[in-house]
């Protein structure tokens, strides 16, 4: 007897307003593919522990752990480093400077020392100070909670007023939207980019930015958060998906539900890959 699909939830591709899909003719992923991949990865990994608290907050709206400003600073600190290093840097920052006023008034080298374990200390310290300065000048206090009530496109506009945050750092903006504002946005980090390219959900010629625009148009809103967390976790753990980019799949591919699966957009397999 054939097994029933795990979920019969009907999904629809819901395109957020604003940005256009750079690949309107590229018809992957379909809502069913998204659901199927979500279910396969969920069966394989369970829901990743590292994102469990964010998921709880999404499903229980009364809960709120970090402020939006904390989230933005954590996201800035996470650039080019591991989550554990950026968390440590954030904890050291908060312990050295209990208030945002103290961060703004701090000597740059003292601030850099506090966050050094997260890497790129000079750049990150400068951006944090710049955000605080702009907030104080424009809003009168250090608070970004007002963003919670705004649409995704308006939040993007608001965040891009800060120096160091803008179109080039769309990944950070998307992370703030998804993790700290509980919006249905789909950030494209290295893992997400590699996997979605490997399974044919984006054209082989796509850049991270065009992938972000395309995937946000194609993936149903209600699947974005789970799929994103699962892709990130799967990307860290799965050797097959890492190798898939080089087309040298080894024995471990037997364990990966994404390799050689029906999720791959077959027509895309014939397109020559960019180097
Ligand atoms: Zn894999």
């Amino acid at each position: 007897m054939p097994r029933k699909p795990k979920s019969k939830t009907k999904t629809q591709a819901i395109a957020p307003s604003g940005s256009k899909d750079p690949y309107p003719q590229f018809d992957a992923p379909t809502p069913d593919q998204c659901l199927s991949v979500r279910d396969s990865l969920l069966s394989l990994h369970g829901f990743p522990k590292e994102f469990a608290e964010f998921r709880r907050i999404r499903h229980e709206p009364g809960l709120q752990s970090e402020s939006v400003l904390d989230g933005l600073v954590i996201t800035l600190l996470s650039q080019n480093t591991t989550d554990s290093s950026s968390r440590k840097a954030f904890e050291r920052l908060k312990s050295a400077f209990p208030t945002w006023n103290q961060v703004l008034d701090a000597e740059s080298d003292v601030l850099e020392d506090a966050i050094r374990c997260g890497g790129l200390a000079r750049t990150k310290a400068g951006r944090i100070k710049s955000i605080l300065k702009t907030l104080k000048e424009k809003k009168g206090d250090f608070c970004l909670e007002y963003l919670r009530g705004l649409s995704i496109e308006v939040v993007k506009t608001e965040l891009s007023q800060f120096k160091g945050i803008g179109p080039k750092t769309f990944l950070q903006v998307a992370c703030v939207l998804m993790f700290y504002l509980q919006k249905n946005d789909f950030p494209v980090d290295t893992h997400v980019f590699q996997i979605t390219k490997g399974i044919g959900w984006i054209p082989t010629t796509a850049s991270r930015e065009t992938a972000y625009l395309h995937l946000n148009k194609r993936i149903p809103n209600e699947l974005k958060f789970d799929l994103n967390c699962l892709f990130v976790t799967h990307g860290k753990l799965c050797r097959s998906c890492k190798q898939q980019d080089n087309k040298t799949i080894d024995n471990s591919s037997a364990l990966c539900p994404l390799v050689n699966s029906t999720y791959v957009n077959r027509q895309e397999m014939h397109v020559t890959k960019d180097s």
Side-chain angles (χ1 to χ4, degrees):
M1 196 173 171
R3 288 177 62 192
K4 284 185 182 172
K6 288 199 179 87
S7 169
K8 285 198 160 186
T9 313
K10 268 283 167 204
T11 54
Q12 292 178 323
I14 300 164
S17 58
S19 320
K20 281 186 178 169
D21 186 345
Y23 311 112
Q25 307 299 319
F26 193 86
D27 60 2
T30 64
D32 283 347
Q33 285 175 322
C34 295
L35 186 59
S36 183
V37 167
R38 195 277 307 265
D39 287 347
S40 299
L41 292 178
L42 205 49
S43 296
L44 182 67
H45 300 293
F47 190 79
K49 281 196 179 73
E50 60 183 313
F51 301 117
E53 185 62 18
F54 293 110
R55 195 178 200 237
R56 211 161 69 87
I57 290 168
R58 290 178 85 86
H59 291 285
E60 294 176 49
L63 291 175
Q64 248 177 48
S65 51
E66 272 137 345
S67 72
V68 181
L69 180 54
D70 281 6
L72 177 60
V73 172
I74 292 167
T75 307
L76 277 179
L77 289 171
S78 72
Q79 193 192 347
N80 286 352
T81 190
T82 62
D83 289 344
S84 64
S85 296
S86 58
R87 277 279 166 184
K88 200 180 287 176
F90 183 71
E91 281 160 22
R92 288 187 183 170
L93 173 73
K94 291 294 243 187
S95 139
F97 308 101
T99 69
W100 289 121
N101 250 323
Q102 288 171 307
V103 176
L104 184 58
D105 293 341
E107 294 291 331
S108 292
D109 53 347
V110 181
L111 179 56
E112 286 166 32
D113 279 345
I115 61 170
R116 197 165 305 282
C117 64
L120 299 175
R122 180 169 291 183
T123 305
K124 291 176 182 177
R127 285 186 183 163
I128 292 168
K129 274 200 169 210
S130 168
I131 287 169
L132 297 175
K133 189 164 174 279
T134 306
L135 266 179
K136 194 168 189 178
E137 283 170 4
K138 293 197 174 174
K139 303 288 178 190
D141 65 3
F142 304 112
C143 182
L144 284 171
E145 296 308 300
Y146 72 99
L147 295 178
R148 292 187 190 278
L150 304 179
S151 72
I152 288 176
E153 292 308 317
V154 178
V155 170
K156 285 179 182 172
T157 308
E158 285 288 306
L159 288 178
S160 63
Q161 70 182 306
F162 299 119
K163 194 179 159 201
I165 299 177
K168 283 184 180 172
T169 50
F170 64 96
L171 171 61
Q172 290 166 17
V173 173
C175 286
V176 172
L177 282 163
M178 185 176 79
F179 288 119
Y180 299 100
L181 292 167
Q182 292 83 44
K183 304 281 187 193
N184 293 315
D185 208 46
F186 191 83
V188 178
D189 77 346
T190 312
H191 300 297
V192 173
F193 186 55
Q194 196 170 30
I195 292 175
T196 53
K197 194 173 270 196
I199 62 177
W201 282 16
I202 51 174
T204 50
T205 52
S207 65
R208 287 256 294 263
E209 189 160 13
T210 56
Y212 168 73
L213 295 172
H214 178 70
L215 292 169
N216 268 288
K217 289 288 183 195
R218 300 288 313 183
I219 297 174
N221 275 339
E222 67 273 22
L223 296 177
K224 283 179 180 171
F225 178 78
D226 281 7
L227 255 182
N228 205 278
C229 297
L230 286 161
F231 276 150
V232 171
T233 295
H234 188 72
K236 287 177 189 169
L237 298 175
C238 181
R239 282 173 59 203
S240 307
C241 280
K242 281 178 189 152
Q243 290 162 345
Q244 196 166 320
D245 221 26
N246 302 321
K247 305 289 181 226
T248 53
I249 297 164
D250 69 1
N251 291 337
S252 62
S253 63
L255 300 171
C256 172
L258 303 183
V259 174
N260 296 326
S261 70
T262 53
Y263 314 125
V264 176
N265 185 18
R266 298 290 170 194
Q267 69 192 62
E268 188 58 19
M269 297 284 281
H270 304 291
V271 177
T272 310
K273 194 175 180 335
D274 277 359
S275 57

